[in-house]
Amino acid sequence: VDLDAIVCLDDMERAAQRVMDRQDFDYFAGGAETESTLRANRAAFSRVTIWPRCMVDVSDVDTTTHVPALGLRNLAAPLLIAPVAMQRAAHPDGECAAARACAAHSIPYCASQQSTTAIEEIGRAGGDDAPRMFQLYVLSDREATTRLIRRAESAGATALCITVDAPVLGRRERDVRNRFELKAGLKLANVDAKKNQNQNQNQAGPDKSAVDAKRAQSAIARRIGGRDASLTWDHLAWLRSVTHLPLVLKGIVTYADAARAAKEGVAGVWVSNHGGRQLDGSPATLDALPEVVAGVKEGVKEGAPTCVVIFDGGVRRGTDALKALALGADLVAVGRPVAWGLACGGELGVGKAVELLTEELRTAMTLAGCRDVRSARNRELVQVVGETP
Ligand code: FNR
């Protein structure tokens, strides 16, 4: 793919679609059931307008930010790469290429527990100074969960993101129709070394080929799929007892859950509906963002420490990111664009995606009269269509 011909993230998605296998593209692009929430995420941005201020000195706009509560410093922009599973399905260098690109651009990379590269290797690829997080599903097997947390700590994650919107997988019908499976040779790499060894032995046999590989893979998928659907607020204490890393709860969309999370003292809530891949019919994340911000405020008022708000869902433009910042997000994340970047050009492709978004955000801030991220986080900058000014 000629990266110079790619002018925006939508171009990048179209280019990725041209070069990817149908089943891989659909895996990354798809949502749950009717995909109404997937579409709603995008549509919500067109209902929010940005009201620019003029005659502001914008000769030197500063997009940099720090989020000390999550151990994230010197970020080039308030952006973040969301955890996206199985990135080697998009490019052979997968997670490592993406982590390198993020490190080079000083944008944090959140590794997925369901990565096709081991967390240690992703950590090394980014290098010591790379801002990074690790996403975790709490498994029924608490020892296995603790081992994953230790590995994330050793790999340099400064915050743990606990995904709470996926006690079971949403029904992604494209994958069912396509009979989507990881290609032979790829595996979910964060399972215990012993299990991997078994799997590698399975695959090593002279002509046991595809069938065994497939069987091994589905065994592992079942295992790592051992997430604990009985997880409740009561389990936060257990998580705190096994790690000192700040915790972020990913997948919160209601006022009540946000207020509870803040009151419980978590370091952050991540407004997300998993990119429309879980509960079809759940609200667009941009519509949920003001509720969550209000909920967090309420929780903090009752004495909890600050609680950071991360936002994702359909962000494809700098103006999308600016709208989310204005509505109260501290960091704005993108998921699918990392897959499109990888498919279009590995590390360079992800770098291009990050550059496009950062530069678009800078342009949007400049035109809106925001000299820095602090002034962009201003509720008066935007109106929701239909809202009384
Ligand atoms: C995801 N997402 C996700 N989230 C998570 O917590 N753990 C995971 O392993 C994954 N895996 C994953 C795979 C794929 C293919 C997609 C598209 C998404 C959700 C992800 O972190 C994020 O919430 C959404 O992708 C954000 O929406 P956009 O930016 O993709 O529209």
Side-chain angles (χ1 to χ4, degrees), residues 45-375:
F45 288 99
S46 59
R47 292 194 305 272
V48 174
T49 48
I50 306 171
W51 295 62
R53 297 301 300 268
C54 304
M55 305 293 278
V56 177
D57 178 356
V58 285
S59 55
D60 188 20
V61 165
D62 181 10
T63 62
T64 62
T65 193
H66 304 272
V67 187
L70 306 182
L72 302 173
R73 293 192 173 77
N74 304 315
L75 308 184
L79 301 173
L80 167 71
I81 296 297
V84 168
M86 312 205 290
Q87 293 175 16
R88 290 181 65 198
H91 186 278
D93 298 336
E95 291 86 358
C96 286
R100 273 195 301 270
C102 290
H105 290 86
S106 301
I107 295 296
Y109 177 81
C110 184
S112 162
Q113 173 178 318
Q114 311 281 70
S115 57
T116 36
T117 308
I119 177 70
E120 292 80 3
E121 226 181 298
I122 303 173
R124 282 193 296 273
D128 287 343
D129 298 330
R132 72 197 80 171
M133 294 168 65
F134 179 71
Q135 175 265 323
L136 179 83
Y137 291 110
V138 174
L139 308 175
S140 306
D141 181 343
R142 291 293 193 271
E143 275 176 30
T145 311
T146 310
R147 278 197 296 276
L148 277 168
I149 293 174
R150 292 285 166 273
R151 291 174 60 190
E153 290 168 346
S154 312
T158 57
L160 265 190
C161 150
I162 312 292
T163 298
V164 295
D165 62 7
V168 297
L169 274 195
R171 199 171 155 77
R172 296 143 194 187
E173 295 180 1
R174 298 196 205 197
D175 294 347
V176 179
R177 283 195 194 95
N178 295 338
R179 298 186 164 70
F180 174 75
E181 260 170 1
L182 265 182
K183 292 208 166 56
L186 297 186
K187 59 175 191 273
L188 296 176
N190 289 329
V191 293
D192 290 357
K194 228 197 214 152
K195 288 272 164 180
N196 270 340
Q197 236 171 32
N198 292 344
Q199 189 204 8
N200 290 340
Q201 277 161 10
N202 281 345
Q203 288 183 339
D207 46 63
K208 290 209 274 172
S209 67
V211 180
D212 271 7
K214 226 181 238 176
R215 209 172 287 147
Q217 185 53 51
S218 62
I220 284 186
R222 271 198 304 279
R223 198 188 124 72
I224 196 98
R227 51 188 85 172
D228 187 354
S230 74
L231 194 74
T232 68
W233 298 102
D234 294 339
H235 295 97
L236 279 178
W238 174 78
L239 276 163
R240 286 224 180 73
S241 75
V242 293
T243 183
H244 294 298
L245 287 181
L247 301 178
V248 175
L249 300 184
K250 176 172 182 284
I252 302 279
V253 291
T254 63
Y255 177 96
D257 281 350
R260 176 75 189 258
K263 222 159 87 183
E264 297 279 350
V266 300
V269 298
W270 188 323
V271 184
S272 176
N273 52 30
H274 219 105
R277 296 163 74 82
Q278 287 298 107
L279 177 62
D280 191 35
S282 64
T285 46
L286 199 69
D287 292 335
L289 178 58
E291 304 263 330
V292 170
V293 169
V296 163
K297 215 168 170 185
E298 176 65 28
V300 169
K301 207 162 69 191
E302 292 177 30
T306 55
C307 177
V308 168
V309 176
I310 303 178
F311 172 87
D312 78 26
V315 174
R316 299 295 178 267
R317 289 282 179 183
T319 50
D320 297 340
L322 181 57
K323 290 171 187 179
L325 292 170
L327 289 171
D330 293 280
L331 284 175
V332 179
V334 292
R336 293 176 179 86
V338 74
W340 311 147
L342 283 170
C344 287
E347 179 180 343
L348 288 177
V350 177
K352 174 94 189 201
V354 169
E355 274 162 31
L356 282 171
L357 209 50
T358 308
E359 282 318 304
E360 283 185 2
L361 175 60
R362 179 187 307 281
T363 304
M365 285 170 62
T366 308
L367 295 175
C370 305
R371 306 170 53 148
D372 51 27
V373 173
R374 229 182 91 170
S375 55

